């Protein structure tokens, strides 16, 4: 019994993947919906999922007094779908339950622009413009301190220039990406004794047994792994597990075990502002 002839780098990537249990079903990229600067990807078998936004606008708050006679305001990045009142109609029209996920921080970053940093270069280090975390649907914000006499200058700069740069990439797949029947493969490995079912519909087993038996299955029954090269499907299947090689365990959450997995043809959503 042997693994498919993986490259060393591919195998290391698979086994070094973060061991994070998936509590939501996989995304159903085949049902991706794009409309009015919004991209909705539902979870498998549900009409719930994340809504991502392709366009943002910066909105400044009122200023408030702070220490040392300074004043402070925030500039927040709002999706234009919200500022233009497009979101509620989109959600209602398509019966969507929004999972309310932000594309940051794992897949991008917000930074103050050089222009606003230069404008307020004379501020003490602790009071220079600083990025603050988002609160859905606001992707992020910028905290700006200034002297009261400079407020008009600061607001004029905000009105005329971006003060935040947003760079984010959401790793989506094309709607035509192939689907791997994870439940069918799991059942074959349960029959082979490499996996056992767990309460709620998940599966678990010895990590090395799962690796070897699934590899053998891909060699002997490649049609289960969908793609022309069964190694590609096998890798997608193995990524569905939380592997702990030290403890020699492989576990798959019910949300993953009971749904197909996407063999992703990448179609990343790139979001830029500023």
């Amino acid at each position: 019994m042997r693994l498919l002839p993986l490259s060393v780098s591919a195998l290391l990537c698979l086994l070094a993947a973060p061991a994070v249990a998936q509590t939501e079903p996989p995304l159903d990229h085949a049902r991706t919906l794009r409309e009015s600067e919004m991209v909705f990807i539902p979870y498998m078998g549900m009409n719930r999922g994340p809504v991502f936004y392709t366009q943002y606008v910066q909105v400044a708050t009122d200023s408030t007094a702070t220490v040392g006679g300074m004043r402070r305001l925030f500039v927040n990045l709002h999706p234009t779908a919200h500022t233009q009142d497009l979101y509620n109609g989109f959600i209602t029209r398509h019966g969507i339950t929004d999972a309310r996920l932000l594309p940051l921080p794992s897949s991008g970053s917000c930074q103050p622009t050089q222009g606003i940093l230069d404008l307020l270069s004379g501020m003490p280090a602790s009071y220079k413009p600083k990025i603050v975390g988002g609160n859905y649907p606001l992707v992020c914000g910028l905290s700006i301190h200034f002297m009261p006499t400079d407020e008009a200058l600061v607001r004029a700069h905000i009105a005329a220039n971006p003060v935040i740069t947003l760079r984010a990439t959401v790793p989506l797949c094309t709607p035509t990406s192939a689907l791997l029947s994870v439940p069918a493969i799991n059942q074959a490995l349960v029959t082979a004794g490499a996996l056992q079912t767990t309460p709620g519909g998940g599966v678990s087993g010895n990590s090395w047994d799962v690796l070897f038996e699934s590899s053998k299955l891909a060699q002997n029954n490649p049609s289960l792994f969908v793609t022309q090269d069964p190694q590609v499907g096998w890798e997608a299947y193995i990524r569905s597990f939380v592997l702990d090689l030290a403890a020699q365990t492989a576990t798959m959450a019910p949300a993953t075990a009971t749904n197909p997995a996407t063999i992703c043809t990448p179609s990343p959503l790139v979001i830029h502002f500023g």
Side-chain angles (χ1 to χ4, degrees):
M1 186 186 307
R2 63 185 180 88
L3 288 172
L4 287 170
L6 293 171
S7 70
V8 172
S9 59
L11 183 57
L12 288 176
C13 286
L14 284 172
L15 301 185
V20 178
Q22 186 168 343
T23 57
E24 297 281 9
L27 293 174
D28 187 352
H29 294 274
R31 294 193 291 139
T32 297
L33 181 61
R34 295 173 180 261
E35 184 181 307
S36 302
E37 304 167 1
M38 290 169 281
V39 181
F40 170 65
I41 310 97
Y43 296 119
M44 291 281 184
M46 304 171 67
N47 218 28
R48 178 177 182 273
V51 176
F52 296 110
Y53 304 94
T54 61
Q55 299 293 326
Y56 285 85
V57 63
Q58 61 185 29
V59 178
T61 66
D62 293 335
S63 67
T64 58
T66 182
V67 297
M70 291 183 289
R71 296 191 69 79
R72 181 191 196 189
L73 61 75
F74 292 91
V75 177
N76 296 310
L77 283 188
H78 291 248
T80 55
H82 284 257
T83 60
Q84 296 174 6
D85 294 326
L86 301 173
Y87 171 81
N88 288 335
F90 174 70
I91 292 296
T92 301
R93 204 161 44 250
H94 299 288
I96 291 168
T97 301
D98 188 356
R100 301 175 64 83
L101 301 182
L102 290 173
L104 300 176
S106 60
S107 56
S109 67
C110 288
Q111 299 293 333
T113 62
Q114 192 60 48
I116 192 66
L117 292 174
D118 290 344
L119 183 70
L120 297 171
S121 60
M123 296 298 293
S126 297
Y127 298 98
K128 291 185 182 297
K130 289 183 175 62
I131 291 293
V132 294
N135 183 17
Y136 186 89
L138 309 183
V139 67
C140 61
L142 185 67
S143 169
I144 301 176
H145 287 85
F146 49 86
M147 300 308 296
T149 53
D150 292 331
E151 181 160 0
L153 179 65
V154 169
R155 288 194 176 277
H157 183 87
I158 293 169
N161 304 279
V163 294
I164 300 173
T165 60
L166 165 64
R167 301 290 183 267
T169 301
V170 183
L172 303 183
C173 309
T174 63
T176 55
S177 294
L179 292 178
L180 184 71
S181 180
V182 172
I185 299 172
N186 286 345
Q187 185 55 54
L189 294 183
V190 168
T191 301
L195 286 176
Q196 298 80 44
T197 57
T198 60
V203 292
S204 66
N206 177 280
S207 55
W208 294 110
D209 288 346
V210 169
L211 287 167
F212 284 119
E213 290 294 338
S214 62
S215 171
K216 185 171 72 171
L217 184 64
Q219 290 173 314
N220 295 337
N221 193 353
S223 62
L224 270 179
F225 292 82
V226 180
T227 52
Q228 185 174 2
D229 179 359
Q231 177 177 312
V232 176
W234 179 81
E235 290 178 8
Y237 176 69
I238 293 301
R239 280 193 292 268
S240 299
F241 284 94
V242 176
L243 294 173
D244 186 335
L245 297 186
Q248 298 188 25
T249 59
T251 57
M252 187 185 295
T256 305
T258 56
N259 285 286
T262 300
I263 301 177
C264 187
T265 300
S267 179
L269 176 65
V270 178
I271 305 169
H272 282 183
F273 178 86

CSV table of all heavy atoms in Angstrom, one decimal, residues 5 15 83 162 262:
chain,number,residue,atom,x,y,z
A,5,PRO,N,1.9,9.1,-6.0
A,5,PRO,CA,3.2,9.7,-6.1
A,5,PRO,C,3.2,11.3,-6.0
A,5,PRO,O,3.2,12.0,-7.0
A,5,PRO,CB,3.7,9.3,-7.5
A,5,PRO,CG,2.5,9.0,-8.3
A,5,PRO,CD,1.5,8.4,-7.3
A,15,LEU,N,-0.1,18.3,4.8
A,15,LEU,CA,0.0,17.9,6.2
A,15,LEU,C,0.3,19.0,7.1
A,15,LEU,O,0.1,18.9,8.3
A,15,LEU,CB,1.2,16.8,6.3
A,15,LEU,CG,1.0,15.5,5.5
A,15,LEU,CD1,2.0,14.5,5.8
A,15,LEU,CD2,-0.4,14.9,5.7
A,83,THR,N,-24.4,52.1,1.3
A,83,THR,CA,-24.7,53.6,1.3
A,83,THR,C,-25.7,53.9,0.2
A,83,THR,O,-26.3,55.0,0.3
A,83,THR,CB,-23.4,54.3,1.1
A,83,THR,OG1,-22.8,53.9,-0.2
A,83,THR,CG2,-22.4,54.1,2.2
A,162,PRO,N,-8.6,59.6,-1.0
A,162,PRO,CA,-8.6,58.4,-0.1
A,162,PRO,C,-7.7,58.6,1.1
A,162,PRO,O,-6.5,59.1,0.9
A,162,PRO,CB,-8.2,57.3,-1.0
A,162,PRO,CG,-8.3,57.8,-2.4
A,162,PRO,CD,-8.1,59.3,-2.3
A,262,THR,N,-15.5,21.2,-3.1
A,262,THR,CA,-15.2,21.8,-4.4
A,262,THR,C,-13.7,21.6,-4.8
A,262,THR,O,-12.8,21.8,-4.0
A,262,THR,CB,-15.4,23.4,-4.4
A,262,THR,OG1,-16.8,23.6,-4.1
A,262,THR,CG2,-15.1,24.0,-5.7
